[in-house]
Amino acid sequence: MPTPLHPPALPAQRYHGLDALRAFAMLLGVVIHVALYFQETPPDAIWPIRGIERSPFAGLLVIAIHVFRMPLFFMMAGFFAAMMLERRGSAGFIGNRVMRIGLPFVVGWFILFPLVKFSFIFAMFHGGGVDVTDSISGAVSTLASEGAWSDPSPMHLWFLYYLLILYVAVLACGLLIRSIDPLQRAWNAIAACCITSRWRLPILIAATFGLLTTMDMPGSDTPMDFVPQIRILLYYGFFLLVGWALWKHRGAVDDLHQWGWLRLLLGLFALGSSTVLMIAYFVTAFEGAGFDSTEATVLYYLTQAVIAATVWLVILGGIGVAERIMRRHHPVIRYLVDASYWIYLAHLPLCVFLPALLRNWELDGTVQMFVLMAMVTAVLL
């Protein structure tokens, strides 16, 4: 991508706080995918099984995490991608991304898809009253008859799939921008406006709101197949580009220390508000006036507006706070940061299988949910 008109001459440094934020977003995958099993809502197409014991907090966790997790993911991906491209050059960047993103996506999918499919089939058998041994046998037989890779979907690895597409798009656009001077000046001006301007927060919120209004439901849509969805690519591509611009103006990372706690606290308050609004929308749309009603339409746009504000308050506040409190290497945090990518890749089969295996455990649903989150994480660590 093009360089800014006045690039900051800053020494190379390790961004421990941003590393931790990226790891935090990855580790939340365990939380959200275990919580899906304990929701009080009926089974659905996304998660067709539920536990015997439920938790009133499970659905709230799923909604709240979904609001900010993937935007944070993509912004951090853009920041560190821009850093790598600048330090290693195009060839080094492409080689690294192929090994770190492309290879895990392809190999990981072929390994994980049958495991996830087996885990869901096992959960359906065991949830129907079949004992563990027969449920495992039934799942193996069903998997063999249907085909291990039939009805393919990207699962949780859609993040890597979309990231690869966006990397190609960004590199191609970068070549074009560098070759046309007015485009380079425009990119520099937009990047500076989004990162260093006093109006950056309202600009980022307005752009995000516009992109969110293309979604089918409040929040951001999740890809369910391998056909790239343009609206989803544009939405997360925006966060990746903002992260890219943040690297180009990385002096702003230190500026975010100021008022970081206030932004984060406001973001958490907005997160609670957006969660309540999403619940109100779904109740209105599914149980009340219907999707096409005026009430549902008003709630849709109001929810998207609050989510747009929530995302940026949480992200910018999180960056300021994380970089402020994590100024140096810490071995435990460093280990979790390094382990988080593996946990992200490998967690889904366990998040389906272990709760289903222990479904008859006589323990309060909320306690059981958090214990299982810890168990899955411990196994993967």
Side-chain angles (χ1 to χ4, degrees):
M1 292 296 289
T3 55
L5 293 174
H6 304 288
L10 298 176
Q13 67 179 91
R14 182 100 196 192
Y15 290 90
H16 297 290
L18 299 188
D19 268 341
L21 274 180
R22 179 172 56 177
F24 174 68
M26 290 185 179
L27 293 172
L28 282 177
V30 173
V31 177
I32 196 171
H33 288 130
V34 170
L36 282 165
Y37 183 78
F38 289 93
Q39 292 180 107
E40 293 183 321
T41 55
D44 51 43
I46 295 175
W47 212 261
I49 51 171
R50 294 288 188 271
I52 296 174
E53 302 292 337
R54 310 287 180 90
S55 170
F57 300 105
L60 297 176
L61 279 174
V62 171
I63 292 173
I65 292 171
H66 182 67
V67 167
F68 70 88
R69 178 174 172 252
M70 297 313 297
L72 175 61
F73 246 147
F74 278 94
M75 184 168 171
M76 293 297 99
F79 181 87
F80 287 108
M83 178 178 69
M84 182 176 301
L85 181 62
E86 184 173 299
R87 292 179 177 177
R88 299 193 182 187
S90 297
F93 173 82
I94 293 171
N96 179 275
R97 296 297 82 184
V98 168
M99 293 301 295
R100 286 279 294 172
I101 306 295
L103 192 62
F105 170 65
V106 174
V107 175
W109 185 86
F110 277 101
I111 295 172
L112 289 168
F113 185 76
L115 292 176
V116 171
K117 194 172 182 179
F118 164 83
S119 298
F120 272 114
I121 297 171
F122 166 81
M124 299 296 287
F125 273 112
H126 195 39
V130 182
D131 65 32
V132 172
T133 303
D134 288 341
S135 294
I136 292 174
S137 176
V140 171
S141 299
T142 304
L143 196 65
S145 63
E146 290 185 355
W149 295 278
S150 61
D151 300 320
S153 71
M155 306 179 299
H156 64 301
L157 301 181
W158 72 263
F159 163 66
L160 302 183
Y161 179 50
Y162 274 56
L163 200 54
L164 290 169
I165 296 172
L166 289 171
Y167 282 150
V168 172
V170 167
L171 289 175
C173 290
L175 290 174
L176 177 65
I177 289 172
R178 280 197 297 270
S179 65
I180 303 176
D181 191 58
L183 286 179
Q184 179 158 330
R185 287 199 300 270
W187 159 253
N188 292 337
I190 293 170
C193 196
C194 289
I195 302 301
T196 63
S197 167
R198 61 189 294 186
W199 302 104
R200 68 184 167 200
L201 188 57
I203 289 170
L204 292 171
I205 290 173
T208 303
F209 172 69
L211 291 165
L212 280 170
T213 58
T214 66
M215 302 296 170
D216 294 333
M217 296 285 181
S220 54
D221 298 339
T222 299
M224 301 302 291
D225 54 41
F226 285 101
V227 179
Q229 301 295 313
I230 298 301
R231 67 185 186 281
I232 301 177
L233 277 170
L234 290 174
Y235 180 67
Y236 290 118
F238 174 67
F239 288 95
L240 185 137
L241 286 176
V242 174
W244 203 290
L246 181 61
W247 168 254
K248 298 300 181 182
H249 296 274
R250 50 199 176 273
V253 173
D254 291 333
D255 296 338
L256 290 172
H257 292 185
Q258 188 176 15
W259 306 112
W261 280 109
L262 178 60
R263 286 192 196 94
L264 185 57
L265 289 172
L266 288 173
L268 294 175
F269 174 78
L271 182 61
S273 301
S274 60
T275 302
V276 170
L277 284 169
M278 287 183 76
I279 293 171
Y281 170 83
F282 288 122
V283 170
T284 300
F286 284 101
E287 301 176 12
F291 286 98
D292 297 328
S293 65
T294 302
E295 295 93 328
T297 301
V298 170
L299 277 171
Y300 171 83
Y301 285 106
L302 178 60
T303 305
Q304 298 298 58
V306 175
I307 287 174
T310 300
V311 165
W312 286 111
L313 286 169
V314 169
I315 289 177
L316 297 180
I319 289 173
V321 170
E323 280 294 316
R324 187 170 185 172
I325 64 178
M326 297 181 191
R327 295 179 179 272
R328 57 181 62 87
H329 171 83
H330 189 285
V332 174
I333 294 177
R334 182 74 249 159
Y335 177 78
L336 290 173
V337 167
D338 291 339
S340 63
Y341 189 34
W342 155 255
I343 292 174
Y344 158 75
L345 290 172
H347 76 278
L348 191 56
L350 281 175
C351 288
V352 179
F353 183 79
L354 274 183
L357 179 67
L358 301 175
R359 68 176 277 107
N360 295 317
W361 193 5
E362 295 181 357
L363 188 65
D364 175 76
T366 300
V367 175
Q368 191 177 150
M369 177 177 69
F370 286 114
V371 169
L372 279 162
M373 290 173 186
M375 288 174 64
V376 170
T377 305
V379 169
L380 293 171
L381 286 174

